Amino acid sequence: MTAPAIANAALNDTTAVLAYPAQEPVRATRDSRPLRLITCGSVDDGKSTLIGRLLWDTKAVKEDQAATLQRDSKGKQNDLGLPDFALLLDGLQAEREQGITIDVAYRYFSTDKRSFIVADTPGHEQYTRNMATGASTADLAVLLVDARVGLLEQTRRHATIATLMGIRQFVLAVNKIDLTNYDRSRFEQISHEFKELALSLGVRQVTAIPVSALKGENVVYDGRASMPWYDGPTLIEVLELATTRSAQTVGFRLPVQRVSRPGESFRGYQGTVAGGSVKPGDSVVILPSGMVANVTKIITFDLVRNAAVAGDAITLVLDRQVDVSRGDVIASIDSQPMTGLAFDAQLVALQPEGIQPGKRYWLKSGSRRQRVQVQPASQLDLKSGKWNHADELPMNAIGKVHLVFDEQAIFDAYEQNRTTGAFILIDPDTNNTIAGGMITAKRAALGGIHAEESRVILSLPAELADQLMATELFAGRREDVEVRRVTAGKAAEIIDAIDG
Amino acid sequence: MPHNHPETELHNPQSTKPPLDPHLKALENEAIHIFREVAAEFERPVMLYSIGKDSSVLLHLARKAFYPGRVPFPLLHVDTGWKFQEMIAFRDEMVEKYDLDLVVHTNPRGAAENVTPFSHGSALYTDIMKTEALRQALDAGQYDAAFGGARRDEEASRAKERIYSFRTPDHRWDPRNQRPELWNIYNGMIRKGESVRAFPLSNWTEVDIWRYIQAEEIPIVPLYFAKKRPIVERDGMMILAEDPRLELLPGELKREEVIRFRTLGCFPLTGAIRSGATTLDDIVSELETATVSERQGRAIDRDQSGSMEKKKREGYF
């Protein structure tokens, strides 16, 4: 750890570990993968100004853009005579008129050490869905708070969504510190409060930085002149050292996007490796059919490769004629994803209609799209951090749900694989994306359930059991399913016990 | 986790290129994924081909995505009739070389009403010969998805674009009501008449484009390289003066300068830059120290701030 990092660690309490990776050699931009980050926090905390400042101080703003900015800033000049940096980001006319951020803006900048993709996300609660959009692909979240105001419910909401989306590295930027006369105790109080919140969310990597986005202190240039009491890293230093998302996984995964058949003699399966690695000779299983084959070739445009790893877009050739189509998953035999008809998940409701219980939606995960029924179970209360029972989920709610499918679904837990564990829900009536979700576990099936070997035992109210067994789906599975008819009250008890 | 590939990759005998750096590799993988997803989900995709550097990269990525098969959709070139002559020659050469299906469309109003950038002004001309022409071509082909080379770093309103950008049956884009787009899971569900514009280069910057062209040895129109060319100065821009239809205004003089173009469009609306960059290496190093953005040479962006958003809502790319 660098000296400033140690100092910052001392400044921050020791329960939170600083986000410094093991001593990796510092690589030039062109040798490292871009870091994806989001900025979030409550409205008016200065998110757009902070990114504008990052762009400005890393020389990502060209002269003609600066001239436009100066022109558009007329009449909005602050008392320092600086342009309104937020105008670099709020590109939509409605945003400029209202002085707010409506939608995610993606911006690009780089230092000599690394390149960055930053998603500037809206602070208003009504645009939470756009914040979730930005969080889904980010490696790190920069949470802004106004030093004069401290943590707000929206700060908590954003920290929670970012955590659910799998972000494990946080920077707390205590902004507008200049407006508190650089009050050290104020900074420390807010840092401490945020670390409590972060720890309750299971986040251990938090770096707190006092910044003035407007004046550019501790963003790219240090703010020692105003804050001699702070000798931790600047924001850009933390970003340069942050780690990118790894494709943690239990094994090789290739969601099949297309079957390539340019001629009679060739058949290849095209997709992007969603985890693990593969090489010729590996034995693989095709899901959901369960057929087995061996990999003979990995083809890309100008290389025949003898290995591919997570993130690579490839064409895979197998050693035998097997029935593989779009939506199937090719996986390693010895470490397979879960397949089944029922799963548990967490999701964020993204549209005004929320999530209606029992409604049939489309679910898309990887290249697989299938029908699903969604049963809300509980909703997260952002104030208390508790999950309360819920039968439906309104817009912006974070909920736990049960998913029930008509045909086999294929997933990993999101914790283990952020590609094969993620999904979106699409409303068949509007075709709009109404939720983003993360798989937590497989369920054996609907109702009170436990699996014994391969037989599934369902305990259901008698009437429901009769209805269910009359459906085509269950009629064909008499062999695997045993239904125990119970009273409705008993069924509810069993379900409660499971949800417990 | 660093994105390290095993050192044991087998290069094809004909390929002598060193492996791509991880940053460009990640961008390439993302673009290929998008190409394959759209091709699989839509019935009638088409690729908008403007013959410029971004289109050249887009085409290269499309060829990679579907290898060893052909590119499984046509290329659409909206020809305003005022393109640089070298662009048209280059286009035909590419189509021949890579066995591509090409559709060319020019708005018939252009000839019928004699619409030119000189007589109608850049805004109206662009609206008729580009935006309206594109809508005509998309309707005629009944395309339900169109790949474009737009990049989020180009202009403020583009920074808000999704990878799959939903368009109504009259090709409108509503920035206030875009579908959320999470992870790399794209929602391609549309009704009849609606369509999606898909942008595989969303996350690329101008420097990325040039470094990729360099690394992959992608052919581009020679106008990007510096050469002594005839120009005339107009509205603070240096315009190429080789097309006989360019009439000199009083006081204008044709002269030769060593110039090149950072972007290509219609020659009367595209300003050249003074530059001695004759190789890709020159271009990349010139760019890395550039102090003005690439769109500065575009007359159509300069009407007012927010003009691009307005054009996009109306269906312009």
Side-chain angles (χ1 to χ4, degrees), chain A residues 354-432:
Chain A
I355 302 292
Q356 305 303 317
K359 180 165 175 173
R360 288 163 59 76
Y361 297 109
W362 285 108
L363 177 145
K364 191 176 178 194
S365 175
S367 56
R368 192 172 176 81
R369 197 175 76 196
Q370 55 191 129
R371 286 289 194 159
V372 66
Q373 244 185 331
V374 182
Q375 198 55 53
S378 57
Q379 181 180 342
L380 179 62
D381 177 355
L382 285 155
K383 285 199 186 78
S384 66
K386 286 202 170 61
W387 294 89
N388 300 325
H389 176 83
D391 292 321
E392 52 184 67
L393 297 169
M395 177 157 84
N396 294 324
I398 296 164
K400 287 185 177 169
V401 299
H402 308 311
L403 306 174
V404 182
F405 296 91
D406 300 356
E407 38 185 41
Q408 293 288 315
I410 308 160
F411 292 111
D412 286 296
Y414 187 75
E415 280 286 309
Q416 294 184 301
N417 188 315
R418 295 178 65 167
T419 306
T420 50
F423 63 88
I424 60 172
L425 293 180
I426 300 167
D427 184 336
D429 300 335
T430 61
N431 285 337
N432 206 344

Side-chain angles (χ1 to χ4, degrees), chain A residues 109-161:
Chain A
F109 64 97
S110 57
T111 65
D112 57 358
K113 296 195 179 68
R114 187 181 226 167
S115 61
F116 303 91
I117 301 176
V118 56
D120 179 29
T121 60
H124 281 86
E125 189 175 335
Q126 72 195 94
Y127 301 120
T128 294
R129 61 184 191 176
N130 296 327
M131 184 263 150
T133 298
S136 68
T137 51
D139 305 305
L140 175 147
V142 178
L143 265 161
L144 271 92
V145 294
D146 184 328
R148 299 165 303 173
V149 180
L151 267 55
L152 294 165
E153 187 180 334
Q154 189 67 345
T155 323
R156 293 168 192 276
R157 178 190 297 273
H158 281 175
T160 306
I161 295 172

Side-chain angles (χ1 to χ4, degrees), chain B residues 48-218:
Chain B
L48 304 176
Y49 182 61
S50 69
I51 321 171
K53 63 183 193 316
D54 300 316
S55 275
S56 298
V57 167
L58 204 58
L59 174 58
H60 186 77
L61 290 163
R63 291 175 54 233
K64 282 199 169 198
F66 303 107
Y67 176 85
R70 283 179 87 225
V71 175
F73 39 76
L75 270 56
L76 170 64
H77 177 224
V78 174
D79 190 351
T80 59
W82 295 88
K83 296 289 167 196
F84 292 87
Q85 292 155 6
E86 279 177 75
M87 290 173 75
I88 303 299
F90 180 87
R91 175 194 76 191
D92 297 341
E93 192 189 326
M94 290 297 110
V95 167
E96 182 69 27
K97 187 170 170 183
Y98 297 134
D99 180 29
L100 303 165
D101 300 325
L102 175 73
V103 177
V104 179
H105 177 77
T106 303
N107 189 343
R109 265 175 76 180
E113 301 174 23
N114 201 13
V115 178
T116 74
F118 310 115
S119 56
H120 288 64
S122 71
L124 185 58
Y125 158 83
T126 299
D127 187 49
I128 297 170
M129 299 309 289
K130 281 189 170 171
T131 312
E132 186 180 286
L134 177 63
R135 287 201 299 255
Q136 289 168 345
L138 292 175
D139 289 342
Q142 295 186 305
Y143 301 115
D144 55 359
F147 294 102
R151 307 189 326 263
R152 287 172 176 155
D153 83 321
E154 282 178 273
E155 193 272 340
S157 74
R158 281 193 174 166
K160 308 267 164 180
E161 264 289 15
R162 301 289 189 259
I163 305 261
Y164 273 33
S165 178
F166 177 81
R167 302 298 161 106
T168 59
D170 57 359
H171 303 289
R172 288 187 175 271
W173 174 68
D174 179 2
R176 297 210 59 164
N177 194 21
Q178 299 194 81
R179 290 177 179 177
E181 200 165 74
L182 295 95
W183 299 286
N184 64 345
I185 310 174
Y186 306 111
N187 174 357
M189 297 190 72
I190 54 169
R191 291 195 182 90
K192 200 162 175 50
E194 295 171 342
S195 65
V196 157
R197 306 269 170 98
F199 301 118
L201 304 180
S202 286
N203 289 320
W204 296 53
T205 64
E206 190 185 10
V207 174
D208 294 331
I209 292 284
W210 283 110
R211 286 182 42 230
Y212 188 72
I213 288 171
Q214 188 180 25
E216 292 284 305
E217 298 158 4
I218 299 171

Side-chain angles (χ1 to χ4, degrees), chain A residues 6 12 55 71 83 99 114 149-150 195 274 308 378 443 445 450 452:
Chain A
I6 292 166
N12 300 311
L55 297 174
R71 191 186 70 204
R114 187 181 226 167
V149 180
K195 292 213 169 97
S378 57
R443 290 167 78 82
H450 48 283
E452 285 180 2

Side-chain angles (χ1 to χ4, degrees), chain A residues 44 77 83 92 98 134 159 192 246 257 304 324 385 423 442 472:
Chain A
D44 294 331
Q77 230 87 350
L92 301 175
Q98 299 172 53
H192 179 76
S246 61
Q257 289 182 278
V304 176
V324 182
F423 63 88
K442 179 179 163 178
E472 204 178 321

Side-chain angles (χ1 to χ4, degrees), chain A residues 232-244:
Chain A
T234 60
L235 176 59
I236 200 82
E237 285 170 337
V238 177
L239 299 182
E240 283 174 340
L241 289 169
T243 48
T244 51

